[in-house]
């Protein structure tokens, strides 16, 4: 069996994956250049990589979100398989918990007071007044919901597809009641044609205000001018953004200097090689046995 | 039965306690000025208040830490009773979880990069490399330990009195092994003659470095010049301080402007009136029945 790894950042990134996969799966020949591989493990691989592959059985995406991969011309009929969690749920939970506490416990306001050398206790805020709504309740969204509930925050969720779960709004009809009950909106959706530009002025206007927005998903979900307008009019008190439409954000992007925006460089959940390799090996072994695996992307759905 | 309330900030603070206690305990006469009260509920009451009381059965401290109260001349033989948690454990856990994530997930470093309009992902850090040590494992310290463990941080604790618990260091002999295994030191001790100035250069030097210091207890525990020196020499990478020796911190205090210090105005856990009143009513009812109550301060111990 041959496995080929291709990471857009080049050999420095690809090399350690080749080494670690080879160690974890001694029966396989793992390389960065096979043209007749059975399995590919990729992240931001170029189109030419896929054009050269002749007999792939499956493509593994080594990160969260397969929108960029699905936008390429992939070999027909070859399944794309997503990682499931692989340590990313825990990282997402840490990132979102930090952002929620940072605002609700007023560390943002206290930082301003510290800069002014002003010792002034502010009135405490009640968690009951800060219901969190999570857009997208996949494996990662559920990990975030659980961590916030453990801290005592009211949490609800929205999913595209109705699943009949209590406390989970679903579908287009469920969006309005979900937003009306949300003060901290957390974007954890996949990027699909349906979610592109989904978060706009109309969405912000439906939140309990002053609201707070956290994006750990994709910048293309958000109409950035509407986000800035919502901040300027006080609909949003602030935002923590791990993503933006064009990454890396250019130095003149208004997010950098907005006093109520925290911007981080797409680091909320980084792919953990060790956990990911273990999961990929398990899935390859299952596929070789002819067993079904979780995480197979449905291209028509987009995730 | 008469209950008197006295809060150092004056009638604006005392009034709501009188109203809420009266509503919760209709059998009692609750006021801000009785001289022959059975029970007193106080926070930062002046010496003159205690000098005038003639027949108190117990004094309730409406906050965390009784060091200031024990420094006063109190009526002889009258027990001082502390609140136990009353919503403060949850607040402390939020504050410390935020501070730990802020540093370990590098939000402090990303804020510097944001100010420089620089999109630069930093290498992720492993929680296993950030063992947290909690100095003082009372009700509040345990709440913080539990929240950090739930997030996956290695947590150990130190208490003055050995209790034979696994993973808990105790007494003077236990301090060195506790510190040697700690990279994030969280101060949650009561202020007593034994803990005054306890945290000094010698303590910082024993931590795994670069270390991080969080103080949600009392400023008098810390030799502030040693803290600043530890930051300047890189022994400490940073500190989050909710307290300092003289509060409010004066505008020229070096903590305000230190790039690696987060300073907040003693707000980590604020007394929640509703929860506190409910607990005080329960304890008064128990005392009136002749039953024992938890939280009775041992003055010789200091907490």
């Amino acid at each position: 069996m041959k496995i080929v790894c291709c990471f857009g950042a080049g050999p420095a990134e690809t090399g350690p994956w080749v080494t670690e996969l080879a160690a974890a799966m001694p029966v396989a020949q793992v390389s960065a250049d096979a043209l007749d591989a059975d399995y590919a493990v990729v992240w931001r691989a170029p189109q030419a990589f896929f054009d050269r592959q002749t007999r792939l059985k499956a493509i593994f995406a080594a990160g969260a979100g397969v929108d960029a991969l699905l936008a390429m011309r992939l070999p027909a009929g070859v399944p794309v398989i997503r990682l499931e969690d692989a340590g990313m749920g825990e990282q997402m939970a840490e990132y979102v918990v930090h952002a929620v506490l940072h605002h609700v416990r007023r560390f943002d306001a206290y930082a301003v007071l510290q800069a002014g050398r002003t010792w002034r206790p502010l009135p405490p805020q009640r968690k009951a007044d800060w219901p969190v709504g999570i857009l997208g309740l996949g494996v990662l969204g559920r990990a975030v919901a659980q961590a916030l509930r453990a801290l005592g925050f009211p949490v609800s969720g929205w999913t595209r597809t109705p699943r009949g779960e209590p406390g989970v709004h679903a579908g287009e009809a469920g969006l309005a009641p979900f937003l009306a009950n949300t003060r901290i909106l957390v974007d954890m959706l996949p990027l699909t044609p349906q979610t592109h530009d989904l978060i706009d002025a109309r969405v912000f206007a439906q939140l309990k205000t002053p609201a707070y927005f956290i994006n750990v998903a994709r910048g293309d979900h958000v109409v950035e001018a509407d986000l800035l307008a919502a901040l300027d009019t006080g609909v949003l008190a602030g935002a923590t953004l791990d993503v933006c439409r064009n990454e890396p954000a250019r130095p003149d992007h208004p997010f950098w200097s907005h006093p109520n925006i925290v911007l981080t460089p797409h680091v909320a959940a980084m792919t953990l090689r060790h956990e990911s390799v273990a999961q990929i090996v398990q899935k390859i072994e299952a596929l070789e046995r002819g067993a079904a695996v979780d995480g197979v992307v449905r291209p028509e759905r987009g995730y």
Side-chain angles (χ1 to χ4, degrees), chain A:
Chain A
M1 183 202 315
K2 291 184 183 174
I3 303 174
V4 67
C5 299
C6 183
F7 285 70
E13 194 185 3
T14 305
W17 283 83
V18 170
T19 308
E20 197 152 341
L21 259 171
M25 211 167 185
V27 299
Q29 295 173 43
V30 188
S31 73
D33 50 17
L35 300 185
D36 54 350
D38 300 281
Y39 298 100
V41 177
V42 304
W43 190 245
R44 298 197 183 123
Q47 183 61 51
F49 169 82
F50 297 106
D51 293 344
R52 285 195 303 260
Q53 293 299 322
T54 55
R55 39 165 291 195
L56 286 177
K57 297 184 199 169
I59 299 167
F60 289 93
V66 291
D67 41 286
L69 184 56
L70 293 184
M72 314 200 78
R73 291 185 310 279
L74 300 180
V78 177
V80 171
I81 302 177
R82 290 184 293 153
L83 292 180
E84 293 160 290
D85 198 332
M88 281 190 279
E90 199 173 310
Q91 295 177 72
M92 284 285 186
E94 293 167 8
Y95 187 100
V96 176
V97 160
H98 174 272
V100 167
L101 290 177
H102 196 71
H103 186 63
V104 174
R105 287 299 305 262
R106 312 186 82 152
F107 288 98
D108 43 11
Y110 284 123
V112 173
L113 288 169
Q114 179 175 352
R117 298 166 178 265
T118 305
W119 183 278
R120 184 189 303 149
L122 302 171
Q125 307 196 107
R126 296 171 58 243
K127 278 181 277 198
D129 294 332
W130 290 91
V132 182
I134 300 177
L135 274 171
L137 272 188
V139 174
L140 303 186
R142 283 161 199 277
V144 170
Q146 188 181 4
L148 288 168
R149 283 206 188 96
L151 283 171
F153 284 92
V155 179
S156 66
W158 180 85
T159 61
R160 199 187 65 106
T161 317
R163 300 179 208 167
E165 288 175 89
V168 176
H169 302 275
E172 260 188 61
L175 196 55
F178 165 80
L179 294 171
N181 186 41
T182 290
R183 192 157 171 206
I184 300 182
L185 181 67
V186 184
D187 177 15
M188 302 195 70
L189 290 167
L191 182 60
T192 69
Q194 287 75 38
T195 63
H196 207 276
D197 286 336
L198 177 76
I199 300 170
D200 60 5
R202 223 170 40 110
V203 161
F204 293 131
Q206 291 177 76
L207 298 169
K208 283 180 187 287
T209 55
Y212 198 85
F213 177 56
I214 299 170
N215 194 351
V216 287
R218 285 290 183 268
D220 284 321
H221 292 149
V222 181
V223 179
E224 294 190 342
D226 288 6
L227 170 59
L228 290 166
L231 286 164
D232 291 344
T233 56
V235 169
L236 287 180
T240 292
L241 309 172
D242 190 45
V243 291
C244 60
R245 281 186 98 97
N246 293 299
E247 299 179 4
R250 287 200 313 245
D252 62 349
H253 196 293
F255 287 175
W256 287 120
S257 57
H258 196 291
N260 298 325
I261 290 180
V262 173
L263 179 63
T264 56
H266 208 140
V267 293
M270 291 157 102
T271 298
L272 302 177
R273 199 168 52 235
H274 185 70
E275 286 81 347
S276 303
V277 163
Q279 194 174 105
I280 289 166
V281 169
Q282 278 188 340
K283 285 186 199 280
I284 289 178
E285 288 171 349
L287 291 169
E288 290 289 310
R289 284 195 308 271
V293 298
D294 288 334
V296 177
V297 171
R298 287 160 48 191
E300 81 288 0
R301 188 178 69 168
Y303 62 94

Short mmCIF file of all heavy atoms in Angstrom, two decimals, chain A residues 188-228:
data_model
loop_
_atom_site.label_atom_id
_atom_site.label_comp_id
_atom_site.label_asym_id
_atom_site.label_seq_id
_atom_site.Cartn_x
_atom_site.Cartn_y
_atom_site.Cartn_z
N MET A 188 -19.32 28.35 13.98
CA MET A 188 -18.56 27.11 13.82
C MET A 188 -19.07 26.33 12.62
O MET A 188 -18.93 25.11 12.56
CB MET A 188 -18.66 26.29 15.10
CG MET A 188 -18.16 27.04 16.32
SD MET A 188 -17.86 25.98 17.75
CE MET A 188 -16.41 25.08 17.19
N LEU A 189 -19.62 27.02 11.64
CA LEU A 189 -20.20 26.37 10.46
C LEU A 189 -19.12 25.92 9.49
O LEU A 189 -18.04 26.52 9.43
CB LEU A 189 -21.13 27.34 9.74
CG LEU A 189 -22.44 27.68 10.45
CD1 LEU A 189 -23.09 28.88 9.79
CD2 LEU A 189 -23.38 26.47 10.42
N PRO A 190 -19.43 24.92 8.67
CA PRO A 190 -18.57 24.65 7.51
C PRO A 190 -18.83 25.73 6.46
O PRO A 190 -19.88 26.38 6.48
CB PRO A 190 -19.06 23.28 7.03
CG PRO A 190 -20.47 23.18 7.48
CD PRO A 190 -20.58 24.00 8.75
N LEU A 191 -17.88 25.91 5.56
CA LEU A 191 -18.08 26.86 4.47
C LEU A 191 -18.66 26.12 3.26
O LEU A 191 -18.02 25.24 2.71
CB LEU A 191 -16.76 27.54 4.08
CG LEU A 191 -16.89 28.58 2.97
CD1 LEU A 191 -17.83 29.71 3.37
CD2 LEU A 191 -15.52 29.13 2.59
N THR A 192 -19.87 26.49 2.92
CA THR A 192 -20.56 25.90 1.77
C THR A 192 -21.22 27.04 1.02
O THR A 192 -21.28 28.17 1.52
CB THR A 192 -21.65 24.91 2.24
OG1 THR A 192 -22.70 25.66 2.86
CG2 THR A 192 -21.11 23.89 3.23
N PRO A 193 -21.75 26.78 -0.19
CA PRO A 193 -22.46 27.86 -0.89
C PRO A 193 -23.59 28.44 -0.02
O PRO A 193 -23.88 29.63 -0.08
CB PRO A 193 -23.02 27.17 -2.13
CG PRO A 193 -22.05 26.05 -2.39
CD PRO A 193 -21.61 25.58 -1.03
N GLN A 194 -24.21 27.59 0.82
CA GLN A 194 -25.33 28.07 1.65
C GLN A 194 -24.86 28.96 2.80
O GLN A 194 -25.63 29.77 3.31
CB GLN A 194 -26.10 26.88 2.24
CG GLN A 194 -26.96 26.12 1.24
CD GLN A 194 -26.13 25.24 0.34
OE1 GLN A 194 -25.14 24.64 0.78
NE2 GLN A 194 -26.49 25.18 -0.94
N THR A 195 -23.62 28.76 3.27
CA THR A 195 -23.17 29.54 4.44
C THR A 195 -22.30 30.74 4.05
O THR A 195 -21.95 31.54 4.91
CB THR A 195 -22.39 28.66 5.44
OG1 THR A 195 -21.20 28.17 4.81
CG2 THR A 195 -23.23 27.48 5.91
N HIS A 196 -21.97 30.83 2.76
CA HIS A 196 -21.19 31.98 2.27
C HIS A 196 -22.00 33.24 2.51
O HIS A 196 -23.18 33.30 2.15
CB HIS A 196 -20.93 31.78 0.76
CG HIS A 196 -19.69 32.44 0.27
ND1 HIS A 196 -19.65 33.75 -0.08
CD2 HIS A 196 -18.43 31.95 0.10
CE1 HIS A 196 -18.42 34.05 -0.47
NE2 HIS A 196 -17.65 32.97 -0.37
N ASP A 197 -21.40 34.25 3.15
CA ASP A 197 -22.09 35.53 3.40
C ASP A 197 -23.32 35.39 4.28
O ASP A 197 -24.15 36.30 4.32
CB ASP A 197 -22.53 36.19 2.07
CG ASP A 197 -21.35 36.79 1.33
OD1 ASP A 197 -20.34 37.11 1.98
OD2 ASP A 197 -21.45 36.96 0.10
N LEU A 198 -23.44 34.27 4.99
CA LEU A 198 -24.64 34.06 5.81
C LEU A 198 -24.76 35.10 6.93
O LEU A 198 -25.86 35.54 7.29
CB LEU A 198 -24.59 32.66 6.44
CG LEU A 198 -25.75 32.31 7.39
CD1 LEU A 198 -27.01 31.99 6.59
CD2 LEU A 198 -25.39 31.11 8.27
N ILE A 199 -23.61 35.50 7.48
CA ILE A 199 -23.63 36.36 8.67
C ILE A 199 -23.48 37.81 8.22
O ILE A 199 -22.39 38.28 7.90
CB ILE A 199 -22.51 35.92 9.65
CG1 ILE A 199 -22.75 34.45 10.05
CG2 ILE A 199 -22.50 36.83 10.88
CD1 ILE A 199 -21.62 33.84 10.82
N ASP A 200 -24.62 38.50 8.22
CA ASP A 200 -24.66 39.86 7.70
C ASP A 200 -25.45 40.75 8.65
O ASP A 200 -25.78 40.34 9.77
CB ASP A 200 -25.27 39.86 6.28
CG ASP A 200 -26.69 39.30 6.29
OD1 ASP A 200 -27.24 39.01 7.38
OD2 ASP A 200 -27.26 39.15 5.18
N ALA A 201 -25.74 41.95 8.20
CA ALA A 201 -26.43 42.93 9.05
C ALA A 201 -27.75 42.37 9.58
O ALA A 201 -28.12 42.62 10.73
CB ALA A 201 -26.68 44.21 8.26
N ARG A 202 -28.44 41.60 8.74
CA ARG A 202 -29.74 41.07 9.15
C ARG A 202 -29.58 40.08 10.32
O ARG A 202 -30.40 40.03 11.22
CB ARG A 202 -30.36 40.34 7.96
CG ARG A 202 -31.84 40.57 7.74
CD ARG A 202 -32.21 39.98 6.38
NE ARG A 202 -31.52 38.72 6.17
CZ ARG A 202 -32.12 37.51 6.16
NH1 ARG A 202 -33.42 37.42 6.30
NH2 ARG A 202 -31.42 36.42 5.97
N VAL A 203 -28.51 39.31 10.28
CA VAL A 203 -28.24 38.37 11.38
C VAL A 203 -27.88 39.12 12.66
O VAL A 203 -28.43 38.87 13.73
CB VAL A 203 -27.12 37.38 10.98
CG1 VAL A 203 -26.51 36.70 12.21
CG2 VAL A 203 -27.66 36.34 10.00
N PHE A 204 -26.96 40.07 12.57
CA PHE A 204 -26.54 40.80 13.77
C PHE A 204 -27.74 41.51 14.40
O PHE A 204 -27.87 41.56 15.62
CB PHE A 204 -25.44 41.82 13.43
CG PHE A 204 -24.14 41.18 13.00
CD1 PHE A 204 -23.48 41.59 11.85
CD2 PHE A 204 -23.57 40.17 13.76
CE1 PHE A 204 -22.28 41.02 11.46
CE2 PHE A 204 -22.36 39.57 13.38
CZ PHE A 204 -21.73 40.01 12.22
N ALA A 205 -28.64 42.05 13.55
CA ALA A 205 -29.77 42.84 14.07
C ALA A 205 -30.74 41.98 14.86
O ALA A 205 -31.54 42.51 15.64
CB ALA A 205 -30.49 43.52 12.91
N GLN A 206 -30.70 40.67 14.67
CA GLN A 206 -31.66 39.81 15.37
C GLN A 206 -31.15 39.32 16.73
O GLN A 206 -31.89 38.69 17.48
CB GLN A 206 -31.98 38.59 14.49
CG GLN A 206 -32.78 38.94 13.25
CD GLN A 206 -33.02 37.71 12.37
OE1 GLN A 206 -33.84 36.86 12.67
NE2 GLN A 206 -32.27 37.62 11.29
N LEU A 207 -29.89 39.60 17.04
CA LEU A 207 -29.32 39.13 18.31
C LEU A 207 -29.81 39.98 19.47
O LEU A 207 -30.19 41.13 19.31
CB LEU A 207 -27.79 39.19 18.25
CG LEU A 207 -27.10 38.33 17.19
CD1 LEU A 207 -25.63 38.70 17.09
CD2 LEU A 207 -27.26 36.85 17.54
N LYS A 208 -29.79 39.42 20.68
CA LYS A 208 -29.94 40.22 21.89
C LYS A 208 -28.76 41.19 21.93
O LYS A 208 -27.62 40.76 21.73
CB LYS A 208 -29.84 39.33 23.14
CG LYS A 208 -31.08 38.51 23.44
CD LYS A 208 -30.82 37.68 24.70
CE LYS A 208 -31.93 36.71 24.98
NZ LYS A 208 -33.14 37.36 25.48
N THR A 209 -29.01 42.44 22.22
CA THR A 209 -27.92 43.42 22.18
C THR A 209 -27.68 44.03 23.56
O THR A 209 -28.59 44.03 24.39
CB THR A 209 -28.23 44.54 21.18
OG1 THR A 209 -29.48 45.12 21.53
CG2 THR A 209 -28.26 44.02 19.77
N PRO A 210 -26.49 44.60 23.79
CA PRO A 210 -25.33 44.52 22.90
C PRO A 210 -24.78 43.10 22.85
O PRO A 210 -24.56 42.49 23.89
CB PRO A 210 -24.32 45.49 23.53
CG PRO A 210 -24.77 45.65 24.95
CD PRO A 210 -26.23 45.39 25.01
N ALA A 211 -24.55 42.66 21.64
CA ALA A 211 -24.15 41.28 21.41
C ALA A 211 -22.63 41.18 21.25
O ALA A 211 -21.91 42.19 21.23
CB ALA A 211 -24.84 40.73 20.17
N TYR A 212 -22.16 39.93 21.14
CA TYR A 212 -20.73 39.68 20.93
C TYR A 212 -20.62 38.57 19.90
O TYR A 212 -21.43 37.64 19.89
CB TYR A 212 -20.07 39.26 22.25
CG TYR A 212 -18.56 39.40 22.21
CD1 TYR A 212 -17.96 40.62 22.50
CD2 TYR A 212 -17.75 38.32 21.87
CE1 TYR A 212 -16.58 40.77 22.45
CE2 TYR A 212 -16.37 38.47 21.82
CZ TYR A 212 -15.80 39.69 22.10
OH TYR A 212 -14.43 39.82 22.04
N PHE A 213 -19.64 38.68 19.01
CA PHE A 213 -19.50 37.72 17.91
C PHE A 213 -18.13 37.05 17.97
O PHE A 213 -17.11 37.72 18.13
CB PHE A 213 -19.69 38.44 16.57
CG PHE A 213 -19.50 37.55 15.36
CD1 PHE A 213 -20.25 36.39 15.22
CD2 PHE A 213 -18.59 37.87 14.37
CE1 PHE A 213 -20.08 35.56 14.11
CE2 PHE A 213 -18.41 37.06 13.26
CZ PHE A 213 -19.17 35.90 13.13
N ILE A 214 -18.13 35.74 17.85
CA ILE A 214 -16.88 34.96 17.85
C ILE A 214 -16.86 34.11 16.58
O ILE A 214 -17.80 33.35 16.34
CB ILE A 214 -16.80 34.06 19.10
CG1 ILE A 214 -16.82 34.92 20.38
CG2 ILE A 214 -15.54 33.18 19.06
CD1 ILE A 214 -16.99 34.11 21.66
N ASN A 215 -15.82 34.25 15.78
CA ASN A 215 -15.71 33.45 14.55
C ASN A 215 -14.48 32.56 14.60
O ASN A 215 -13.35 33.03 14.56
CB ASN A 215 -15.65 34.35 13.30
CG ASN A 215 -15.88 33.55 12.02
OD1 ASN A 215 -15.91 32.32 12.04
ND2 ASN A 215 -16.05 34.25 10.91
N VAL A 216 -14.72 31.26 14.72
CA VAL A 216 -13.63 30.28 14.68
C VAL A 216 -13.81 29.35 13.48
O VAL A 216 -13.29 28.24 13.46
CB VAL A 216 -13.55 29.44 15.98
CG1 VAL A 216 -13.02 30.29 17.12
CG2 VAL A 216 -14.90 28.84 16.34
N ALA A 217 -14.56 29.84 12.46
CA ALA A 217 -14.88 28.97 11.33
C ALA A 217 -14.20 29.49 10.05
O ALA A 217 -13.04 29.15 9.80
CB ALA A 217 -16.39 28.88 11.16
N ARG A 218 -14.91 30.30 9.30
CA ARG A 218 -14.37 30.79 8.04
C ARG A 218 -14.76 32.26 7.86
O ARG A 218 -15.90 32.65 8.12
CB ARG A 218 -14.96 29.98 6.87
CG ARG A 218 -14.38 28.59 6.71
CD ARG A 218 -12.93 28.60 6.23
NE ARG A 218 -12.38 27.27 6.01
CZ ARG A 218 -11.72 26.56 6.93
NH1 ARG A 218 -11.55 27.05 8.14
NH2 ARG A 218 -11.22 25.37 6.62
N GLY A 219 -13.82 33.04 7.37
CA GLY A 219 -14.08 34.45 7.14
C GLY A 219 -15.14 34.69 6.07
O GLY A 219 -15.87 35.69 6.14
N ASP A 220 -15.26 33.78 5.10
CA ASP A 220 -16.23 33.97 4.02
C ASP A 220 -17.68 33.86 4.48
O ASP A 220 -18.59 34.15 3.71
CB ASP A 220 -15.96 32.97 2.88
CG ASP A 220 -14.76 33.38 2.04
OD1 ASP A 220 -14.60 34.59 1.80
OD2 ASP A 220 -13.98 32.50 1.65
N HIS A 221 -17.90 33.44 5.71
CA HIS A 221 -19.27 33.45 6.24
C HIS A 221 -19.78 34.86 6.48
O HIS A 221 -20.98 35.08 6.58
CB HIS A 221 -19.34 32.72 7.59
CG HIS A 221 -19.10 31.26 7.51
ND1 HIS A 221 -18.52 30.55 8.54
CD2 HIS A 221 -19.36 30.36 6.54
CE1 HIS A 221 -18.44 29.28 8.21
NE2 HIS A 221 -18.93 29.13 6.99
N VAL A 222 -18.85 35.81 6.64
CA VAL A 222 -19.19 37.10 7.24
C VAL A 222 -19.06 38.23 6.22
O VAL A 222 -18.05 38.32 5.51
CB VAL A 222 -18.25 37.39 8.42
CG1 VAL A 222 -18.59 38.73 9.08
CG2 VAL A 222 -18.31 36.25 9.43
N VAL A 223 -20.06 39.07 6.16
CA VAL A 223 -19.97 40.30 5.38
C VAL A 223 -19.23 41.30 6.27
O VAL A 223 -19.79 41.84 7.23
CB VAL A 223 -21.37 40.81 5.00
CG1 VAL A 223 -21.26 42.11 4.20
CG2 VAL A 223 -22.12 39.75 4.20
N GLU A 224 -17.95 41.52 5.97
CA GLU A 224 -17.11 42.25 6.92
C GLU A 224 -17.57 43.69 7.13
O GLU A 224 -17.47 44.22 8.24
CB GLU A 224 -15.64 42.18 6.47
CG GLU A 224 -15.10 40.74 6.54
CD GLU A 224 -13.58 40.63 6.34
OE1 GLU A 224 -12.97 41.57 5.80
OE2 GLU A 224 -13.03 39.59 6.73
N ALA A 225 -18.08 44.32 6.07
CA ALA A 225 -18.57 45.70 6.23
C ALA A 225 -19.75 45.74 7.20
O ALA A 225 -19.89 46.68 7.99
CB ALA A 225 -18.98 46.27 4.87
N ASP A 226 -20.60 44.70 7.16
CA ASP A 226 -21.74 44.65 8.08
C ASP A 226 -21.26 44.44 9.52
O ASP A 226 -21.84 44.98 10.47
CB ASP A 226 -22.69 43.51 7.69
CG ASP A 226 -23.47 43.82 6.41
OD1 ASP A 226 -23.18 44.86 5.78
OD2 ASP A 226 -24.35 43.03 6.05
N LEU A 227 -20.22 43.64 9.68
CA LEU A 227 -19.66 43.43 11.02
C LEU A 227 -19.13 44.74 11.58
O LEU A 227 -19.42 45.11 12.73
CB LEU A 227 -18.54 42.38 10.94
CG LEU A 227 -17.66 42.17 12.17
CD1 LEU A 227 -18.50 41.75 13.38
CD2 LEU A 227 -16.59 41.12 11.91
N LEU A 228 -18.39 45.48 10.77
CA LEU A 228 -17.84 46.76 11.24
C LEU A 228 -18.96 47.74 11.55
O LEU A 228 -18.91 48.46 12.56
CB LEU A 228 -16.88 47.33 10.19
CG LEU A 228 -15.57 46.54 10.05
CD1 LEU A 228 -14.83 46.94 8.78
CD2 LEU A 228 -14.68 46.75 11.28
#
